[in-house]
Amino acid sequence: LFAEEVVRSLAASGVLAGAAGAYRLLKPVPTLGVPARVQDVVASRVDGLPPSGKRALQVAAVCGAEFDLDLLGAVLGADAGALAPHLEQLETLRFVEARDAGRKVFAFRHALIHEVAYHGLLHSEQRAIHASALASLAATNASPDRLAFHAVRAERWADAVHWLELAGQAALSRSACEQAAARFEEAIGLLPRLPADASRDRQEVELRLNLRNALFALGRHSEILGHLEAAADCQARLGDPARLAQIDGERVAEAVAE
């Protein structure tokens, strides 16, 4: 990748002339000033794009390593016709490539290109674009995982917990228990960012009980008791003696089993 990016950078800057496989050097080697890191080469090429092309590339990076034209257009406020020249240029410069015959889905050609384009944005810009992507996707039938991805990075914590919980439930329903546990654990980790109220307690009870189910299926029994105890604490604050008794019964059974 380093050699490829250096050659593309030199060709774009006029140091090399010709076509791939038949370039001619136009300047002496000592004057080239080749960057030491491939990230710097890629960043230089990104910075060399026209402003509208650079913006399209960076917004695409926020949309994901693989992104679809509809979401990119929604976030940029542009239709497919307006985006086409930018995407063609980005393809020609080998930043991205089409993934389907209809040219509706694109992907970055290398993870490093995606990373450089993404981190060329300020954190506040990343967050705002993720929020825009979240709003656009929420109006579609996008998967909970995809919505959770953008909600977390937009720092919309209530939305993030909601979509992570739904993603975990969806994974659990198809017996993808490792994925389910990861989603529930991530959601639980975000709970302290929400107001400490009854709504948060209710969410925590459901998340920990769902996580208990995933952990049981995975055979991770040693982790279950702590989650049942935390769920019981939340339920005690919420009331509902019957539900608390049920959780306490499961907690006692788990403690005995250990």
Side-chain angles (χ1 to χ4, degrees):
L1 178 66
F2 181 77
E4 291 177 6
E5 289 297 330
V6 168
V7 169
R8 289 179 192 132
S9 178
L10 295 178
S13 64
V15 173
L16 297 178
Y23 284 115
R24 302 187 313 280
L25 187 64
L26 299 183
K27 295 181 181 180
V29 172
T31 68
L32 293 183
V34 176
R37 300 189 314 143
V38 66
Q39 290 93 332
D40 298 328
V41 181
V42 175
S44 176
R45 292 216 302 130
V46 171
D47 288 339
L49 289 169
S52 55
K54 180 178 178 180
R55 178 66 176 173
L57 183 69
Q58 290 180 318
V59 170
V62 176
C63 291
E66 184 173 283
F67 58 94
D68 63 74
L69 192 60
D70 290 341
L71 179 58
L72 181 61
V75 175
L76 284 171
D79 59 25
L83 288 175
H86 299 308
L87 289 170
E88 287 171 6
Q89 180 186 43
L90 295 176
E91 282 185 284
T92 299
L93 295 174
R94 300 181 66 80
F95 286 114
V96 304
E97 60 187 0
R99 281 291 174 88
D100 65 330
R103 297 178 59 77
K104 288 288 188 180
V105 179
F106 292 79
F108 282 81
R109 291 186 61 87
H110 194 281
L112 187 60
I113 298 173
H114 174 239
E115 178 186 326
V116 169
Y118 185 85
H119 290 292
L121 293 163
L122 296 173
H123 178 68
S124 59
E125 294 175 307
Q126 295 169 359
R127 194 170 63 243
I129 297 169
H130 278 298
S132 179
L134 174 64
S136 297
L137 289 171
T140 71
N141 62 348
S143 70
D145 268 307
R146 197 174 180 194
L147 289 158
F149 172 85
H150 289 291
V152 170
R153 287 155 184 79
E155 299 178 10
R156 300 290 181 88
W157 306 122
D159 289 332
V161 171
H162 170 72
W163 290 115
L164 284 166
E165 181 175 11
L166 291 186
Q169 290 171 349
L172 200 57
S173 71
R174 60 178 186 271
S175 299
C177 296
E178 287 280 7
Q179 183 179 345
R183 299 297 179 272
F184 294 137
E185 286 170 340
E186 186 175 0
I188 290 168
L190 294 178
L191 287 174
R193 297 178 179 272
L194 303 184
D197 55 17
S199 176
R200 190 180 85 176
D201 281 338
R202 279 191 290 271
Q203 283 183 297
E204 184 165 355
V205 169
E206 296 306 319
L207 283 165
R208 291 190 185 276
L209 293 181
N210 275 314
L211 178 55
R212 177 272 318 273
N213 294 336
L215 294 174
F216 184 86
L218 291 167
R220 290 162 54 182
H221 301 289
S222 63
E223 300 172 46
I224 292 175
L225 182 58
H227 290 293
L228 288 175
E229 289 175 342
D233 289 342
C234 291
Q235 191 62 55
R237 289 194 292 271
L238 289 168
D240 191 347
R243 184 82 190 279
L244 178 58
Q246 178 187 354
I247 296 171
D248 274 335
E250 294 180 23
R251 180 174 59 83
V252 170
E254 191 63 38
V256 170
E258 286 191 358

